[in-house]
Short mmCIF file of all heavy atoms in Angstrom, two decimals:
data_model
loop_
_atom_site.label_atom_id
_atom_site.label_comp_id
_atom_site.label_asym_id
_atom_site.label_seq_id
_atom_site.Cartn_x
_atom_site.Cartn_y
_atom_site.Cartn_z
N LEU A 336 -96.35 121.54 305.37
CA LEU A 336 -96.82 120.19 305.60
C LEU A 336 -97.86 120.14 306.71
O LEU A 336 -98.70 119.25 306.76
CB LEU A 336 -95.65 119.27 305.93
CG LEU A 336 -94.70 119.00 304.77
CD1 LEU A 336 -93.53 118.17 305.23
CD2 LEU A 336 -95.42 118.32 303.63
N ALA A 337 -97.79 121.08 307.65
CA ALA A 337 -98.77 121.06 308.75
C ALA A 337 -100.14 121.54 308.30
O ALA A 337 -101.15 121.27 308.94
CB ALA A 337 -98.25 121.95 309.89
N SER A 338 -100.19 122.29 307.18
CA SER A 338 -101.48 122.81 306.72
C SER A 338 -102.27 121.72 306.03
O SER A 338 -101.74 121.01 305.21
CB SER A 338 -101.24 123.96 305.72
OG SER A 338 -100.49 124.98 306.32
N PRO A 339 -103.54 121.55 306.38
CA PRO A 339 -104.34 120.51 305.72
C PRO A 339 -104.61 120.85 304.27
O PRO A 339 -104.74 122.02 303.92
CB PRO A 339 -105.64 120.52 306.52
CG PRO A 339 -105.73 121.90 307.08
CD PRO A 339 -104.31 122.32 307.35
N PRO A 340 -104.63 119.85 303.40
CA PRO A 340 -104.88 120.12 301.97
C PRO A 340 -106.28 120.68 301.77
O PRO A 340 -107.24 120.22 302.38
CB PRO A 340 -104.73 118.73 301.32
CG PRO A 340 -104.98 117.78 302.42
CD PRO A 340 -104.50 118.43 303.68
N SER A 341 -106.37 121.64 300.91
CA SER A 341 -107.66 122.26 300.59
C SER A 341 -108.37 121.45 299.53
O SER A 341 -107.80 121.09 298.53
CB SER A 341 -107.43 123.70 300.10
OG SER A 341 -108.63 124.25 299.66
N THR A 342 -109.64 121.17 299.77
CA THR A 342 -110.44 120.44 298.81
C THR A 342 -111.60 121.25 298.25
O THR A 342 -112.40 120.74 297.50
CB THR A 342 -111.02 119.18 299.48
OG1 THR A 342 -111.79 119.56 300.61
CG2 THR A 342 -109.90 118.25 299.92
N SER A 343 -111.67 122.52 298.62
CA SER A 343 -112.79 123.34 298.16
C SER A 343 -112.66 123.67 296.68
O SER A 343 -113.62 123.90 296.01
CB SER A 343 -112.86 124.64 298.98
OG SER A 343 -111.63 125.37 298.85
N HIS A 344 -111.42 123.68 296.17
CA HIS A 344 -111.20 124.01 294.77
C HIS A 344 -110.02 123.17 294.30
O HIS A 344 -109.04 123.02 294.99
CB HIS A 344 -110.90 125.50 294.61
CG HIS A 344 -110.96 125.94 293.17
ND1 HIS A 344 -109.90 125.84 292.32
CD2 HIS A 344 -111.98 126.46 292.45
CE1 HIS A 344 -110.24 126.30 291.12
NE2 HIS A 344 -111.50 126.68 291.17
N SER A 345 -110.14 122.66 293.10
CA SER A 345 -109.15 121.72 292.62
C SER A 345 -107.79 122.33 292.46
O SER A 345 -106.78 121.64 292.53
CB SER A 345 -109.61 121.13 291.27
OG SER A 345 -109.72 122.18 290.31
N SER A 346 -107.70 123.63 292.21
CA SER A 346 -106.40 124.26 292.01
C SER A 346 -106.04 125.20 293.14
O SER A 346 -105.21 126.09 292.98
CB SER A 346 -106.41 125.04 290.68
OG SER A 346 -107.40 126.04 290.70
N ALA A 347 -106.65 125.04 294.31
CA ALA A 347 -106.34 125.91 295.44
C ALA A 347 -104.91 125.67 295.88
O ALA A 347 -104.40 124.59 295.87
CB ALA A 347 -107.29 125.62 296.58
N VAL A 348 -104.24 126.75 296.27
CA VAL A 348 -102.85 126.70 296.67
C VAL A 348 -102.75 126.90 298.18
O VAL A 348 -103.31 127.83 298.73
CB VAL A 348 -102.01 127.77 295.95
CG1 VAL A 348 -100.59 127.73 296.41
CG2 VAL A 348 -102.09 127.54 294.44
#
Side-chain angles (χ1 to χ4, degrees):
L336 291 176
S338 302
S341 174
T342 57
S343 59
H344 193 275
S345 61
S346 60
V348 178

